Amino acid sequence: MSIASAQYDEDEKLAMARAATALVTRWGVPDESVARLLNGEGRATALLGIHRALRCIFADSDRVARWIGAPNEAFGGVCALDLMLEDGLPGMRRVEAYLNAEIAN
């Protein structure tokens, strides 16, 4: 079962929201963009899934933060952060799917 398909109670949702907030802060997301990433159903779960996948690929958490902000050919030269900010949850799902495919290869 993927993290996105599980059912969560309110305490778990709050814990995920806190974890996602800490995560985007660690990634160096500007304060004015944090709310755009976090506000909306399923976004905290998606961000945590992205983080899980990135940690499978990169052992160094600083490298994870750099990857989020680096241009990526897989996204037409746009960085993952900009894709997620522009497209919201669908962009997050696209980033997560890309990373999961990278892990599978």
Side-chain angles (χ1 to χ4, degrees):
M1 176 187 320
S2 76
I3 191 172
S5 64
Q7 298 298 314
Y8 301 103
D9 65 28
E10 290 306 311
D11 288 338
E12 291 170 318
K13 289 177 184 177
L14 182 58
M16 284 191 292
R18 287 182 181 143
T21 300
L23 177 64
V24 297
T25 299
R26 172 104 175 132
W27 287 348
V29 175
D31 290 342
E32 62 274 7
S33 298
V34 170
R36 287 178 51 204
L37 281 177
L38 295 175
N39 292 342
E41 185 72 29
R43 289 176 179 228
T45 304
L47 290 168
L48 293 173
I50 290 166
H51 178 66
R52 178 209 51 82
L54 283 167
R55 289 309 304 254
C56 288
I57 296 169
F58 304 115
D60 178 6
S61 60
D62 290 333
R63 181 123 187 246
V64 168
R66 287 192 308 272
W67 185 90
I68 289 291
N72 192 313
E73 289 302 314
F75 309 132
V78 174
C79 70
L81 178 59
D82 287 345
L83 176 67
M84 293 185 293
L85 287 168
E86 181 70 27
D87 293 348
L89 187 57
M92 292 175 193
R93 288 185 175 146
R94 182 175 170 198
V95 170
E96 186 177 14
Y98 168 77
L99 292 168
N100 286 333
E102 288 293 307
I103 293 167
N105 287 334

